[in-house]
Amino acid sequence: MTVVNPVQAPFDRAICDGLAACGVATVHEAQGRTGLLASHMRPIFAGASIAGPAVTVSVPPADNWMIHVAVEQCRSGDVLVVSPTSPSDAGYFGELLACSLAARGVVGLVIEAGCRDIAALTAMGFPVWSRAVSAQGTVKETLGSVNVPLVCAGQLVRPGDVVVADDDGVVVVPRAHAKLVLRASHEREHRERAVRERLKAGELGLDIYGMRQRLQEKGLIYSTGCRSATEPET
Amino acid sequence: MTVVNPVQAPFDRAICDGLAACGVATVHEAQGRTGLLASHMRPIFAGASIAGPAVTVSVPPADNWMIHVAVEQCRSGDVLVVSPTSPSDAGYFGELLACSLAARGVVGLVIEAGCRDIAALTAMGFPVWSRAVSAQGTVKETLGSVNVPLVCAGQLVRPGDVVVADDDGVVVVPRAHAKLVLRASHEREHRERAVRERLKAGELGLDIYGMRQRLQEKGLIYSTGCRSATEPET
Amino acid sequence: MTVVNPVQAPFDRAICDGLAACGVATVHEAQGRTGLLASHMRPIFAGASIAGPAVTVSVPPADNWMIHVAVEQCRSGDVLVVSPTSPSDAGYFGELLACSLAARGVVGLVIEAGCRDIAALTAMGFPVWSRAVSAQGTVKETLGSVNVPLVCAGQLVRPGDVVVADDDGVVVVPRAHAKLVLRASHEREHRERAVRERLKAGELGLDIYGMRQRLQEKGLIYSTGCRSATEPET
Amino acid sequence: MTVVNPVQAPFDRAICDGLAACGVATVHEAQGRTGLLASHMRPIFAGASIAGPAVTVSVPPADNWMIHVAVEQCRSGDVLVVSPTSPSDAGYFGELLACSLAARGVVGLVIEAGCRDIAALTAMGFPVWSRAVSAQGTVKETLGSVNVPLVCAGQLVRPGDVVVADDDGVVVVPRAHAKLVLRASHEREHRERAVRERLKAGELGLDIYGMRQRLQEKGLIYSTGCRSATEPET
Amino acid sequence: MTVVNPVQAPFDRAICDGLAACGVATVHEAQGRTGLLASHMRPIFAGASIAGPAVTVSVPPADNWMIHVAVEQCRSGDVLVVSPTSPSDAGYFGELLACSLAARGVVGLVIEAGCRDIAALTAMGFPVWSRAVSAQGTVKETLGSVNVPLVCAGQLVRPGDVVVADDDGVVVVPRAHAKLVLRASHEREHRERAVRERLKAGELGLDIYGMRQRLQEKGLIYSTGCRSATEPET
Amino acid sequence: MTVVNPVQAPFDRAICDGLAACGVATVHEAQGRTGLLASHMRPIFAGASIAGPAVTVSVPPADNWMIHVAVEQCRSGDVLVVSPTSPSDAGYFGELLACSLAARGVVGLVIEAGCRDIAALTAMGFPVWSRAVSAQGTVKETLGSVNVPLVCAGQLVRPGDVVVADDDGVVVVPRAHAKLVLRASHEREHRERAVRERLKAGELGLDIYGMRQRLQEKGLIYSTGCRSATEPET
């Protein structure tokens, strides 16, 4: 049951860079509001923004042996995605593994567990999204698998799927959709750019989006009496 | 049941600025330790400090339509306060709505739900206090209400109440009390200033506050034996 | 039952400084992965790194009177460790108490409760590790004890034990072990330094640590088929 | 600031009994989905169902003195509602206080804190809805208030408001609305009764509620292809 | 993006009954410790034990419209599995929907959200595993999908996969594996039956499983000194 | 560092039975409100009540090997106390281990992790207090220690300490204090018995405990005005 599968064929770097530039919120919208990891996945420092194909690692609780195995499978531009088979906040990952990943060009780590050596990782600029910070070490006793489909923070991630992460969280884009999602993200950005300028100039979303009539049809009432409205009901 | 009530009469800007300068902890103390929102309401970036009258928005779960309606009701200096009728961590608020609020002079947002576009909000300096960061989008299907009394993070907030927020959290000051609370806050600051200097000079709180006798009356014992005190009981 | 015990004999400053320089993750490993406080204990700002003998304070819920009592017992280099007898997120500690502790040379606070005045504490550089940020004040009604053994965030801390804290969390080192733990930490750092250079140069942990044979013995399979590996099982 | 206000004028018992019989879910719907306390408020045993006017108690953290004061204010049929001013899971309430309340005819307790003596309370049939079970005792040092408006588990409760509680949780009905809400609850029950029989007979909600056309308008597609539907997207 | 896929071909009832009889813990072990839903999925009453092919429903937050759509797709013996696209504790499901499902022979519901009408569901014996109990109602505004692969409580569930649930939680068995997993479960039960009798007779697991030598090889020490063992390390 | 220490000398059974009869809340009070485990430790079924000397087991995360080792150390009347060195909700314990413990006369288990086979454990009446129910299995790879002092759910438990558990939770009594704590518990029960009868007869705690004067001294005001008291402040 424990296996190391080969990595996917190389993936277009420009698409990844484009998705990272669009950001998690836009990409998530552009693919129909799917693929967002749970909001407990937080960056260890602010300001990082990455995207790349996933090398996935299914690990036993409190055992990081398979991360060492996975390093060898990583290529430049990859994102490592680690998920334990049973919930664990142990500190699976720290500075040494980050040095090894950085040497191979890996752009970041997404792990539904703990991370440590925060100060060193911040200094070297290696970004991690985790559900906990913990110095608790792990053992190297039990095998897991590399490059298998897994569930991380509530989302299915398959090897080679594109993972996008920034200050808003983490979203996974199915590999076969990445190009379309990037196009849809750019269209969304294009539309938003125009709206942004109008909003900054003081125009209202109610007018830009033409919401007033539908609000009226739904029965929204604009009260004119002042006092009664702000008092609790009696 | 869904209604948009008019905003309150304008409110004294100097009082708001004074409360913001005093800060949440002092204001909370000065009004008798009432009005503090639950501690899960955290700022999306450090260092912001605001105060202003509340425009309140009661929203359905995962539906941000009424925030668009509320924008029109906001004036310069207001604080938008949003609370869902059922718990939700969805990302109701992002950069575009922030542009719209900033254009009207709104000083910040307090929302007991999720917020997204953290990097952009940080760059533009628009402060948000939320219970989650989440890129999960919301729909525009169901009405809510604007400028009604609501409960946000465990506290009753009425339209026009003054909301103060900084790195320590969020506190709500009833509109009718704001002037008195500011005065009490200034008195507290004045007293603390004197105490602070004495503490910095090495004087003890035990002496400054005259606590020693009451401690003795309550039965506090200063042990002189050394070893037994630090050993676990056997 | 309420008592103030005298502080321990002075403790070697160089050992504390050495432990702080090694950091929580290394020290925790070096003493056999014991003594780590629960991961909900987070620093109020990033970048602080301290170590010192503990002055412990057992406090009633939402009552910080005994912290005032404890200040007098602190010497330069100490770390104050505060734990309530019943869970509480109230804001026991703020700027004034920090001024008083800083005046005595105390290097930081570890408290399994709330902390406030975050902006001021950050400005003055006084580090705190707490489980909550809350402006909620506390009373001064009920006694507790100073310099008694207590449990803080799941770990036993005895007066005079050495507490080490940084961005990774907090670890407690039994006083009698501190010298040995420092030596073990240095040995660990020494070993890691050599490994770090090899990892940065692109060598794999699999080879440096000689893991390949044991992985094979455990039954790890390197799959060569490509497609089936990434498909869900059917 | 600490005060004991007199209880409200007596309230119609038949209305309370009617609301209890309808149950929390129906009453919550009948008053427009407002007034529901947070779902962490759970009954200490299954099967209880109560309703009555609230006697409210605002208590300091970990201090149950004011509950003793409140007992004297209670009349037969009342529900005691207790909320701490700062979060606390301490065990404010146990068998002795329950004996005292039962002797006065109080029908139950709603407390956003801890409760203890679960076995005894179950044996005597005194129902409690709380957010925790904890044997941790409380002190009697600090005053609070009785019969003031307060926020309990995220909802505003005013003295005399009708509190309804059962296995589904707790809902508060503003006193002035109770008669109307009961009528609306009965109408809802009447409608549901007819629907229930049709559903039990195998008719579909899609047909009973006439949903099919609106689903079609919204764009729902009934796929006929079989295999592709159950495969992950590729 | 919203679609209703047809149900899978009928599935062998005896296999489902067999898996239910084995129970969640055994089935989970028998398929290599995979497929277990997160432990926050709890039954609304004790003692239920079910298994059946999944009809899956992906629902918007706080909107239960698609459950009405899904009812029509259910056949006798099915288990309904509902997961919102964004976290929600709203009460999507209650007595009326249970009447409708029971009329079609559905054996139970697994929902990563809230459930209500607990007393009625208990009385009619319709089992539900949910992450919350909440009377909070939901709307019928937005479409979702029926019979698509989804992630529920951290596990991938595909339409037709066999879901097993009892007091220990919920496990999902891939449809194609169900027969093999049942056989492995029976083998496990067979082995456990023999071991159980020996354990009841007082034999030790250390001997039955032959663990003593491996413990010795790993370095386990049986201390004979008495006092030092029970004292804290000094 | 891994060791199995011998059990303590036998302990007076009558004292344990007496403590179990008094219950957790009374014992906790009688020993000065110390020793209570965190309130997330819940019984797997209602109504159990036990007490006995602790056999402690420090286990690695998700590895239950040492529980098998500990069984051999248990004598009739013991309580097994298990705590992982890193947080884990895995299901360390189920029916087979319970059969083995029951065969040796062990009266129950306290485990700060997960438990499974709930239905079987309930049927055989073997009580467990745990922080989670989870079918997730554990491995047998790494050693831990038996009969060492450990922290469980926030409390220090030493081998031979008396553990008392019931529907209110779990409390630990230092072995050397058990006799005194039982006496204090009986005195408390004696006092409570008299008070209980007076409360049942309708007398008020305010009078029984003589609280009225102290309330007056503290400044409690009994308001006579009716309306203003129940209105929100304006």
Side-chain angles (χ1 to χ4, degrees), chain F residues 68-79:
Chain F
H68 290 272
V69 173
V71 170
E72 189 178 27
Q73 307 302 318
C74 292
R75 295 159 311 192
S76 180
D78 284 346
V79 175

Side-chain angles (χ1 to χ4, degrees), chain F residues 158-227:
Chain F
R158 288 164 303 178
D161 283 350
V162 180
V163 170
V164 188
D166 63 17
D167 289 350
D168 286 350
V170 185
V171 67
V172 57
V173 180
R175 187 181 176 88
H177 295 187
K179 196 172 179 179
L180 279 173
V181 169
L182 177 58
R183 193 184 308 158
S185 299
H186 281 154
E187 286 165 6
R188 190 176 170 86
E189 281 199 326
H190 184 73
R191 287 194 305 272
E192 288 197 344
R193 202 169 301 130
V195 171
R196 187 184 292 108
E197 294 314 309
R198 293 172 69 183
L199 290 169
K200 282 185 176 172
E203 231 179 311
L204 288 169
L206 291 181
D207 297 316
I208 297 174
Y209 302 120
M211 289 171 169
R212 292 192 192 274
Q213 184 177 351
R214 194 162 155 252
L215 286 166
Q216 193 178 3
E217 289 166 6
K218 285 264 186 176
L220 185 63
I221 294 162
Y222 282 82
S223 158
T224 50
C226 179
R227 288 213 48 88

Side-chain angles (χ1 to χ4, degrees), chain D residues 140-165:
Chain D
K140 289 169 186 63
E141 290 283 355
T142 308
L143 298 184
S145 291
V146 176
N147 276 328
V148 291
L150 48 73
V151 173
C152 182
Q155 289 295 341
L156 177 66
V157 183
R158 288 164 303 180
D161 282 351
V162 180
V163 171
V164 188

Side-chain angles (χ1 to χ4, degrees), chain F residues 4 7 43 49 73 80 106 110 117 125 166 170 172 222:
Chain F
V4 179
V7 290
S49 174
Q73 307 302 318
L80 199 65
V106 172
V110 172
D117 297 337
D166 63 17
V170 185
V172 57
Y222 282 82

Side-chain angles (χ1 to χ4, degrees), chain B residues 78-136:
Chain B
D78 285 346
V79 175
L80 199 64
V81 177
V82 179
S83 189
T85 55
S86 165
S88 173
D89 282 352
Y92 282 76
F93 187 88
E95 186 203 4
L96 289 184
L97 277 167
C99 286
S100 192
L101 287 178
R104 299 184 77 82
V106 172
V107 295
L109 168 73
V110 172
I111 180 165
E112 197 183 10
C115 173
R116 58 183 183 178
D117 297 337
I118 302 304
L121 295 173
T122 303
M124 68 190 281
F126 189 87
V128 176
W129 287 255
S130 70
R131 81 168 200 190
V133 169
S134 171
Q136 177 74 41

